[in-house]
Amino acid sequence: MQIVSSSAAMQRLARKWQRAGTHIGFVPTMGYLHAGHLSLVQRARLVVGKAGKVVASIYVNPTQFAPTEDLAKYPRDLKRDLKSLRELGVDVVFTPSDGEMYPHQAGSGYSTYIVEENLSQSMEGAARPTHFRGVTTVVAKLFNLVLPDVAVFGQKDFQQAAVIKRMVADLNFPVRIIVAPTLRERDGLAMSSRNKYLDPEQRAQAVILYHALQAARMAVTKQSISAERLHADLKEFITAAPLARLDYVSFFDPETLEPVKQVAAGTQMALAVFFGKTRLIDNAQL
Ligand code: PAF
Protein backbone atom coordinates (compact mmCIF):
# COMPACT_ATOMS: atom_id res chain seq x y z
CA MET A 1 0.00 0.00 0.00
CA GLN A 2 1.34 3.37 -1.02
CA ILE A 3 0.85 6.48 1.11
CA VAL A 4 0.77 9.62 -0.97
CA SER A 5 0.55 13.09 0.55
CA SER A 6 1.41 15.34 -2.39
CA SER A 7 -1.48 16.39 -4.65
CA ALA A 8 0.76 16.43 -7.72
CA ALA A 9 2.02 12.90 -7.01
CA MET A 10 -1.55 11.64 -6.48
CA GLN A 11 -2.71 13.14 -9.76
CA ARG A 12 0.34 11.79 -11.65
CA LEU A 13 -0.35 8.28 -10.35
CA ALA A 14 -4.06 8.50 -11.19
CA ARG A 15 -3.28 9.74 -14.71
CA LYS A 16 -0.87 6.85 -15.22
CA TRP A 17 -3.58 4.37 -14.18
CA GLN A 18 -6.12 6.14 -16.37
CA ARG A 19 -3.83 5.93 -19.42
CA ALA A 20 -3.42 2.20 -18.78
CA GLY A 21 -7.22 1.78 -18.70
CA THR A 22 -7.21 0.78 -15.01
CA HIS A 23 -10.46 1.43 -13.14
CA ILE A 24 -10.14 3.60 -10.06
CA GLY A 25 -12.45 3.25 -7.05
CA PHE A 26 -12.35 5.99 -4.41
CA VAL A 27 -13.51 6.35 -0.81
CA PRO A 28 -13.03 9.84 0.63
CA THR A 29 -12.91 9.92 4.44
CA MET A 30 -11.93 12.15 7.31
CA GLY A 31 -10.19 9.22 9.01
CA TYR A 32 -10.78 7.68 12.43
CA LEU A 33 -12.18 4.80 10.46
CA HIS A 34 -14.86 2.44 11.73
CA ALA A 35 -16.45 -0.65 10.21
CA GLY A 36 -18.83 1.59 8.22
CA HIS A 37 -15.93 3.23 6.36
CA LEU A 38 -14.29 -0.15 5.81
CA SER A 39 -17.49 -1.47 4.21
CA LEU A 40 -17.29 1.44 1.71
CA VAL A 41 -13.73 0.41 0.86
CA GLN A 42 -14.83 -3.19 0.36
CA ARG A 43 -17.60 -1.98 -1.92
CA ALA A 44 -15.12 0.03 -3.99
CA ARG A 45 -12.94 -3.05 -4.38
CA LEU A 46 -15.94 -5.15 -5.39
CA VAL A 47 -16.80 -2.64 -8.12
CA VAL A 48 -13.32 -2.15 -9.63
CA GLY A 49 -12.22 -5.76 -9.13
CA LYS A 50 -8.73 -7.10 -8.49
CA ALA A 51 -7.34 -5.43 -11.59
CA GLY A 52 -8.59 -2.02 -10.51
CA LYS A 53 -7.08 0.38 -8.00
CA VAL A 54 -8.72 1.43 -4.75
CA VAL A 55 -7.79 4.79 -3.26
CA ALA A 56 -8.94 6.00 0.18
CA SER A 57 -8.29 9.56 1.28
CA ILE A 58 -7.89 10.67 4.87
CA TYR A 59 -8.30 14.40 5.23
CA VAL A 60 -10.10 16.37 7.93
CA ASN A 61 -11.37 19.14 5.70
CA PRO A 62 -11.37 22.51 7.53
CA THR A 63 -13.74 24.23 5.09
CA GLN A 64 -16.69 22.03 6.09
CA PHE A 65 -16.40 22.97 9.77
CA ALA A 66 -17.81 26.24 11.10
CA PRO A 67 -15.49 28.21 13.42
CA THR A 68 -17.65 27.05 16.36
CA GLU A 69 -17.38 23.37 15.44
CA ASP A 70 -15.12 20.54 16.51
CA LEU A 71 -12.30 20.71 13.87
CA ALA A 72 -9.34 20.73 16.27
CA LYS A 73 -10.97 18.08 18.40
CA TYR A 74 -12.02 15.84 15.51
CA PRO A 75 -10.70 12.36 16.38
CA ARG A 76 -7.62 11.19 14.52
CA ASP A 77 -5.67 7.91 14.54
CA LEU A 78 -3.67 7.69 11.34
CA LYS A 79 -1.62 4.68 12.43
CA ARG A 80 -4.70 2.59 13.15
CA ASP A 81 -6.44 3.80 9.96
CA LEU A 82 -3.45 2.83 7.80
CA LYS A 83 -3.33 -0.62 9.39
CA SER A 84 -7.05 -1.21 8.66
CA LEU A 85 -6.71 -0.01 5.06
CA ARG A 86 -3.61 -2.13 4.48
CA GLU A 87 -5.47 -5.20 5.74
CA LEU A 88 -8.23 -4.51 3.23
CA GLY A 89 -5.79 -4.36 0.33
CA VAL A 90 -6.21 -0.66 -0.48
CA ASP A 91 -3.70 0.41 -3.15
CA VAL A 92 -3.17 4.04 -2.19
CA VAL A 93 -4.03 6.15 0.84
CA PHE A 94 -4.04 9.84 -0.01
CA THR A 95 -3.23 11.92 3.08
CA PRO A 96 -2.83 15.53 1.97
CA SER A 97 -2.00 18.34 4.38
CA ASP A 98 -3.99 21.58 4.59
CA GLY A 99 -1.15 23.25 2.69
CA GLU A 100 -1.60 20.75 -0.17
CA MET A 101 -5.37 21.14 -0.34
CA TYR A 102 -5.69 24.87 0.27
CA PRO A 103 -2.25 26.24 -0.61
CA HIS A 104 -3.30 29.89 -0.67
CA GLN A 105 -5.49 29.82 2.42
CA ALA A 106 -2.94 31.32 4.79
CA GLY A 107 -2.44 34.98 3.97
CA SER A 108 -3.98 35.66 0.57
CA GLY A 109 -7.10 33.55 1.09
CA TYR A 110 -8.33 30.57 -0.89
CA SER A 111 -11.16 31.88 -3.06
CA THR A 112 -12.79 29.19 -5.20
CA TYR A 113 -15.73 27.19 -3.85
CA ILE A 114 -18.44 24.97 -5.29
CA VAL A 115 -21.93 25.72 -4.02
CA GLU A 116 -24.92 23.47 -4.68
CA GLU A 117 -27.87 25.78 -4.30
CA ASN A 118 -30.90 23.58 -3.88
CA LEU A 119 -30.50 20.24 -2.07
CA SER A 120 -27.96 21.70 0.35
CA GLN A 121 -30.25 24.33 1.86
CA SER A 122 -32.38 22.31 4.28
CA MET A 123 -31.56 20.09 7.30
CA GLU A 124 -27.75 19.87 7.66
CA GLY A 125 -27.36 22.91 5.41
CA ALA A 126 -29.75 24.96 7.54
CA ALA A 127 -28.11 23.82 10.79
CA ARG A 128 -24.54 24.24 9.44
CA PRO A 129 -24.70 26.99 6.78
CA THR A 130 -21.17 26.67 5.28
CA HIS A 131 -20.90 22.91 5.66
CA PHE A 132 -21.92 21.70 2.20
CA ARG A 133 -19.90 24.37 0.44
CA GLY A 134 -16.85 22.86 2.13
CA VAL A 135 -17.91 19.31 1.30
CA THR A 136 -18.60 19.92 -2.40
CA THR A 137 -15.40 21.93 -2.77
CA VAL A 138 -13.16 19.32 -1.18
CA VAL A 139 -14.86 16.40 -2.93
CA ALA A 140 -14.48 18.14 -6.32
CA LYS A 141 -10.81 18.77 -5.56
CA LEU A 142 -10.31 15.15 -4.50
CA PHE A 143 -12.05 13.94 -7.68
CA ASN A 144 -9.66 16.09 -9.73
CA LEU A 145 -6.66 14.54 -7.97
CA VAL A 146 -7.75 10.89 -7.72
CA LEU A 147 -9.65 10.76 -11.07
CA PRO A 148 -12.00 8.00 -9.88
CA ASP A 149 -14.38 6.07 -12.12
CA VAL A 150 -16.48 5.29 -9.07
CA ALA A 151 -16.69 6.86 -5.61
CA VAL A 152 -18.46 5.35 -2.61
CA PHE A 153 -20.26 7.38 0.07
CA GLY A 154 -22.25 6.29 3.12
CA GLN A 155 -26.02 6.45 3.36
CA LYS A 156 -25.72 7.81 6.91
CA ASP A 157 -24.93 11.19 5.35
CA PHE A 158 -27.96 10.96 3.09
CA GLN A 159 -28.12 14.66 2.25
CA GLN A 160 -24.37 14.79 1.59
CA ALA A 161 -24.68 11.93 -0.90
CA ALA A 162 -27.61 13.68 -2.63
CA VAL A 163 -25.68 16.97 -2.87
CA ILE A 164 -22.60 15.20 -4.27
CA LYS A 165 -24.68 13.29 -6.83
CA ARG A 166 -26.18 16.58 -7.94
CA MET A 167 -22.75 18.24 -8.19
CA VAL A 168 -21.43 15.33 -10.25
CA ALA A 169 -24.40 15.53 -12.62
CA ASP A 170 -24.41 19.33 -12.88
CA LEU A 171 -20.65 19.70 -13.40
CA ASN A 172 -20.20 16.59 -15.61
CA PHE A 173 -17.74 14.78 -13.43
CA PRO A 174 -17.16 11.38 -15.09
CA VAL A 175 -17.66 9.57 -11.76
CA ARG A 176 -20.29 7.03 -10.75
CA ILE A 177 -21.51 7.65 -7.21
CA ILE A 178 -22.46 4.64 -5.11
CA VAL A 179 -24.30 5.13 -1.82
CA ALA A 180 -23.69 2.20 0.52
CA PRO A 181 -25.87 1.25 3.51
CA THR A 182 -25.33 2.55 7.04
CA LEU A 183 -23.60 0.11 9.38
CA ARG A 184 -24.98 0.00 12.91
CA GLU A 185 -23.77 -0.99 16.35
CA ARG A 186 -25.49 -4.00 17.96
CA ASP A 187 -28.17 -1.79 19.55
CA GLY A 188 -28.88 0.05 16.28
CA LEU A 189 -26.85 3.26 16.76
CA ALA A 190 -25.43 4.30 13.37
CA MET A 191 -21.63 3.98 13.30
CA SER A 192 -19.93 7.38 13.33
CA SER A 193 -16.52 8.72 14.28
CA ARG A 194 -18.36 11.18 16.54
CA ASN A 195 -19.77 8.36 18.73
CA LYS A 196 -16.39 8.42 20.44
CA TYR A 197 -17.31 11.73 22.11
CA LEU A 198 -20.26 10.21 23.98
CA ASP A 199 -19.88 9.38 27.66
CA PRO A 200 -21.40 6.02 28.76
CA GLU A 201 -24.75 7.56 29.72
CA GLN A 202 -25.03 9.55 26.49
CA ARG A 203 -23.98 6.47 24.52
CA ALA A 204 -26.74 4.40 26.14
CA GLN A 205 -29.35 7.05 25.27
CA ALA A 206 -28.03 7.74 21.75
CA VAL A 207 -29.90 4.70 20.46
CA ILE A 208 -33.00 6.93 20.63
CA LEU A 209 -32.22 8.13 17.07
CA TYR A 210 -32.58 4.59 15.74
CA HIS A 211 -35.64 3.94 17.87
CA ALA A 212 -37.24 7.14 16.55
CA LEU A 213 -36.73 5.95 12.96
CA GLN A 214 -38.27 2.60 13.83
CA ALA A 215 -41.19 4.24 15.63
CA ALA A 216 -41.85 6.46 12.60
CA ARG A 217 -41.70 3.47 10.29
CA MET A 218 -44.25 1.64 12.45
CA ALA A 219 -46.51 4.69 12.49
CA VAL A 220 -46.77 4.78 8.69
CA THR A 221 -46.93 1.07 7.87
CA LYS A 222 -50.72 0.99 7.61
CA GLN A 223 -51.67 4.60 6.96
CA SER A 224 -50.11 7.96 6.22
CA ILE A 225 -49.89 10.56 8.96
CA SER A 226 -49.45 14.33 8.90
CA ALA A 227 -45.83 15.47 9.17
CA GLU A 228 -46.83 17.95 11.86
CA ARG A 229 -48.41 15.28 14.04
CA LEU A 230 -45.55 12.77 13.56
CA HIS A 231 -43.02 15.51 14.30
CA ALA A 232 -44.77 16.33 17.59
CA ASP A 233 -44.97 12.65 18.58
CA LEU A 234 -41.31 12.03 17.78
CA LYS A 235 -40.18 15.17 19.59
CA GLU A 236 -41.85 13.86 22.73
CA PHE A 237 -40.42 10.37 22.12
CA ILE A 238 -36.85 11.63 21.64
CA THR A 239 -36.78 14.11 24.50
CA ALA A 240 -37.96 11.36 26.85
CA ALA A 241 -34.25 10.47 26.77
CA PRO A 242 -33.14 13.10 29.33
CA LEU A 243 -29.73 13.79 27.74
CA ALA A 244 -31.11 14.21 24.20
CA ARG A 245 -31.68 17.67 22.72
CA LEU A 246 -33.50 17.52 19.41
CA ASP A 247 -32.02 19.64 16.60
CA TYR A 248 -34.40 18.62 13.79
CA VAL A 249 -36.60 15.86 12.44
CA SER A 250 -37.50 16.15 8.74
CA PHE A 251 -39.74 14.16 6.43
CA PHE A 252 -39.00 14.60 2.76
CA ASP A 253 -38.98 13.16 -0.74
CA PRO A 254 -35.82 11.00 -1.14
CA GLU A 255 -35.12 12.37 -4.65
CA THR A 256 -35.88 16.08 -4.38
CA LEU A 257 -35.39 16.42 -0.60
CA GLU A 258 -38.59 18.56 -0.66
CA PRO A 259 -40.40 18.37 2.69
CA VAL A 260 -43.71 16.49 2.63
CA LYS A 261 -46.88 17.45 4.49
CA GLN A 262 -48.13 13.88 4.72
CA VAL A 263 -45.71 11.09 5.75
CA ALA A 264 -46.19 7.64 4.22
CA ALA A 265 -44.22 4.46 3.56
CA GLY A 266 -41.38 5.50 1.22
CA THR A 267 -40.95 8.99 2.72
CA GLN A 268 -37.37 9.69 3.82
CA MET A 269 -36.87 10.77 7.42
CA ALA A 270 -33.71 12.40 8.80
CA LEU A 271 -32.94 13.66 12.26
CA ALA A 272 -30.17 15.33 14.24
CA VAL A 273 -29.92 15.12 18.02
CA PHE A 274 -27.41 16.67 20.40
CA PHE A 275 -25.97 14.81 23.37
CA GLY A 276 -24.01 17.49 25.16
CA LYS A 277 -21.91 19.10 22.43
CA THR A 278 -22.00 15.99 20.23
CA ARG A 279 -24.44 16.15 17.37
CA LEU A 280 -25.55 12.81 15.91
CA ILE A 281 -27.48 12.30 12.67
CA ASP A 282 -29.35 9.37 11.19
CA ASN A 283 -31.93 8.73 8.47
CA ALA A 284 -34.01 6.04 6.84
CA GLN A 285 -36.65 5.50 4.25
CA LEU A 286 -39.85 4.79 6.14
O1 PAF B 1 -18.31 12.24 4.86
C1 PAF B 1 -17.17 12.66 5.12
O2 PAF B 1 -16.40 12.03 5.86
C2 PAF B 1 -16.72 13.98 4.52
O3 PAF B 1 -17.76 14.89 4.45
C3 PAF B 1 -16.02 13.82 3.16
C4 PAF B 1 -16.97 13.29 2.11
C5 PAF B 1 -14.83 12.90 3.29
C6 PAF B 1 -15.51 15.19 2.67
O4 PAF B 1 -14.61 15.75 3.55
Side-chain angles (χ1 to χ4, degrees), residues 165-175:
K165 278 198 260 178
R166 175 60 65 83
M167 174 188 81
V168 161
D170 286 353
L171 300 184
N172 307 90
F173 279 95
V175 184

Side-chain angles (χ1 to χ4, degrees), residues 38 207 222 282:
L38 303 183
V207 71
K222 293 216 173 79
D282 204 346

Side-chain angles (χ1 to χ4, degrees), residues 28-30 37 57 59 61 64 74 131 134-135 138-139 142 153 157 160 164:
T29 81
M30 298 207 298
H37 292 112
S57 63
Y59 179 58
N61 171 38
Q64 68 190 76
Y74 196 82
H131 173 67
V135 171
V138 81
V139 169
L142 289 167
F153 292 85
D157 295 297
Q160 167 173 281
I164 289 167

Side-chain angles (χ1 to χ4, degrees), residues 103-126:
H104 309 296
Q105 194 161 41
S108 63
Y110 178 91
S111 58
T112 305
Y113 291 92
I114 292 184
V115 179
E116 192 287 328
E117 294 188 332
N118 179 12
L119 306 178
S120 65
Q121 299 304 302
S122 58
M123 298 183 284
E124 289 304 288

